[in-house]
Amino acid sequence: MGNSIPMGWEVLVNMKILEEENRGRRKKIRVENLDDLWFLEKILRPGDVVYAMTYRREEKRNDSIRPEKRERVPVFLGIRVKDFKIHEYSDRLRILGIIELGPALGEHHTLNVGVGSVITLEKEEWSDEELEFLREAIESSEKVKVLIVAMDEEGAQISLLRERGIDHIAWIDSGISGKMFHDRRDEEKIRFFQEVAKKIESIGPEKIIVAGPGFTKEEFLKFLAVRYPELRKKSFSDDVSSSGITGVQEVIRRGTPERFLEESRIVEESKAIDKLLEGISKEEFSSYGLEDVEESLDFGAVDLLLISDDFYRKNREKCEELIRRVRSTGGSFRIVSTSHDAGKILSNLGGVAALLRFKYK
């Protein structure tokens, strides 16, 4: 197989299931946040096969007179899982296994899976429990999709803004030439707008930012109003100096998407911590610190369990126990990143807290 990805495995459709194959036994998954990493660890079993792009040292060359430095090169591997564990000091799931697809068959290899990783997981049979974990992961990952279209007469860059990065999905060339006659230019512009609109429609965004210099973006919005009114209702205009990826980056620097990201993870976590602090100040519907949270769980009062990522890494077994308990009473949980202020506040409160569904004392 070498470094290539097998045919039929590379198409992404948009924890998220990207693709299912082999009668549902093989599922292609993107890890989108820390919660997904926890769910993935619960789904994995020894004997599963995990496929992913990774890095390995180049194989030794027998025809070389002098020993050569072996560089790490990208390669697509499938490994039969032997062991796995979330690394104590990093937000990564380490998966150890035996190579069954790719170079160096039969050798050991460790995959490091983190936020943003894409893997394909294959099982002989998916249990009901594993499918339930997967369903919960998908539901917890549902976020508002904000699409940025940076366009001018030369073409349109279509990019999808995600909570931890941006996917540059496509560049669509307009095909319009300055030497075209007026009627031909109009025909080409309509064809161009139609192609862009169909691509947007296939992605299914919640919000669309149409940006760029000049009048092309305004003409496109008028086109949407007539031909694709549902897309027009989701669309907003923004003036930037460039099209293409440069224009997309300018939109982001200007902060334009922020008003459309009320459901983004950082905002959600900040709101939860604000609600926690309000409850603490009023001495109601909140608990914090391990002892108080465990007492709240004893009464079945926890609606949302909040755990900082640093507390989870240091107290993994205890956290898994807390998560099992809150899930058993119909509550939910959130692993909060300490990369922003809300997570740091939670960490300072002991790393674990809860929003309660009722007062019990």
Side-chain angles (χ1 to χ4, degrees):
M1 287 291 182
N3 296 350
S4 62
I5 300 175
M7 289 297 293
W9 290 21
E10 70 277 5
V11 180
L12 302 186
V13 300
N14 229 39
M15 163 152 62
K16 293 246 176 116
I17 294 181
L18 304 176
E19 186 177 272
E20 289 188 281
E21 285 190 342
N22 201 8
R23 297 182 180 178
R25 293 195 314 173
R26 184 186 297 151
K27 303 181 190 296
K28 192 172 185 180
I29 298 167
R30 177 186 288 119
V31 178
E32 298 205 328
N33 52 56
L34 296 176
D35 293 351
D36 285 352
L37 216 54
W38 183 89
F39 278 114
L40 181 57
E41 189 189 29
K42 301 301 109 183
I43 292 169
L44 271 174
R45 298 286 184 273
D48 293 345
V49 181
V50 178
Y51 305 90
M53 289 298 300
T54 183
Y55 286 88
R56 275 186 70 83
R57 300 285 182 187
E58 289 182 308
E59 295 183 7
K60 294 179 181 178
R61 293 179 54 187
N62 297 324
D63 60 345
S64 178
I65 298 175
R66 295 181 180 178
E68 296 182 4
K69 184 178 179 180
R70 299 170 64 199
E71 296 183 356
R72 288 166 58 84
V73 295
V75 60
F76 186 81
L77 294 182
I79 67 169
R80 178 76 63 176
V81 177
K82 292 186 67 178
D83 196 13
F84 50 91
K85 184 178 182 181
I86 292 180
H87 194 264
E88 185 176 357
Y89 300 107
S90 68
D91 298 324
R92 290 192 171 275
L93 175 62
R94 296 169 63 87
I95 306 173
L96 171 67
I98 305 295
I99 298 174
E100 291 200 349
L101 175 73
L105 293 175
E107 292 188 8
H108 285 81
H109 185 80
T110 299
L111 295 174
N112 288 294
V113 180
V115 173
S117 295
V118 175
I119 67 166
T120 298
L121 175 58
E122 182 175 10
K123 294 175 175 287
E124 286 297 321
E125 185 176 358
W126 287 77
S127 70
D128 291 341
E129 182 186 21
E130 290 164 349
L131 291 172
E132 178 64 16
F133 270 125
L134 203 58
R135 183 192 63 77
E136 288 189 35
I138 294 167
E139 288 180 356
S140 71
S141 291
E142 287 301 324
K143 305 295 174 189
V144 169
K145 291 182 182 179
V146 178
L147 198 71
I148 301 174
V149 181
M151 65 192 314
D152 59 14
E153 273 210 341
E154 293 183 2
Q157 173 64 44
I158 300 176
S159 300
L160 185 63
L161 185 63
R162 299 187 183 280
E163 40 180 297
R164 297 180 187 270
I166 188 160
D167 288 346
H168 297 297
I169 293 174
W171 165 262
I172 298 177
D173 194 274
S174 71
I176 300 171
S177 168
K179 297 180 181 180
M180 288 180 176
F181 290 111
H182 186 271
D183 290 347
R184 178 73 188 283
R185 283 176 62 85
D186 287 346
E187 289 176 6
E188 282 298 310
K189 185 170 289 188
I190 291 173
R191 181 205 58 76
F192 168 50
F193 287 171
Q194 183 79 12
E195 187 175 354
V196 174
K198 284 185 175 180
K199 186 65 178 179
I200 294 172
E201 198 173 43
S202 70
I203 298 166
E206 296 292 329
K207 303 292 181 183
I208 307 160
I209 300 171
V210 181
F215 300 105
T216 304
K217 64 180 181 298
E218 304 301 338
E219 293 175 359
F220 178 65
L221 289 170
K222 290 177 181 177
F223 170 85
L224 291 182
V226 175
R227 302 284 188 91
Y228 295 84
E230 292 303 313
L231 292 183
R232 180 63 185 91
K233 292 175 184 177
K234 303 176 182 180
S235 301
F236 302 84
S237 177
D238 192 26
D239 292 316
V240 294
S241 59
S242 306
S243 63
I245 292 177
T246 302
V248 171
Q249 292 169 341
E250 188 176 345
V251 170
I252 295 170
R253 284 197 303 270
R254 284 162 54 89
T256 305
E258 291 177 2
R259 55 188 154 136
F260 308 125
L261 291 175
E262 291 183 357
E263 291 185 33
S264 71
R265 189 170 188 82
I266 291 176
V267 172
E268 285 181 352
E269 292 176 354
S270 298
K271 285 181 177 179
I273 299 302
D274 286 344
K275 192 172 180 180
L276 174 71
L277 295 175
E278 181 183 358
I280 291 172
S281 68
K282 295 180 179 180
E283 297 185 351
E284 59 181 14
F285 300 111
S286 293
S287 62
Y288 66 97
L290 185 57
E291 185 177 343
D292 281 355
V293 168
E294 287 191 300
E295 182 183 42
S296 300
L297 286 167
D298 288 341
F299 283 90
V302 176
D303 184 44
L304 176 62
L305 176 67
L306 300 166
I307 303 172
S308 65
D309 57 5
D310 58 347
F311 185 87
Y312 180 85
R313 284 195 294 269
K314 295 173 184 176
N315 305 275
R316 185 163 161 266
E317 289 186 8
K318 171 57 69 174
C319 289
E320 290 185 359
E321 176 194 332
L322 298 177
I323 290 169
R324 282 195 298 271
R325 292 180 65 186
V326 74
R327 283 163 52 88
S328 70
T329 59
S332 58
F333 74 96
R334 171 63 54 82
I335 299 174
V336 182
S337 172
T338 50
S339 64
H340 58 86
D341 289 344
K344 291 172 183 174
I345 291 170
L346 178 59
S347 182
N348 290 334
L349 289 171
V352 60
L355 299 178
L356 309 182
R357 56 171 67 100
F358 58 82
K359 294 175 67 173
Y360 62 89
K361 63 178 179 179

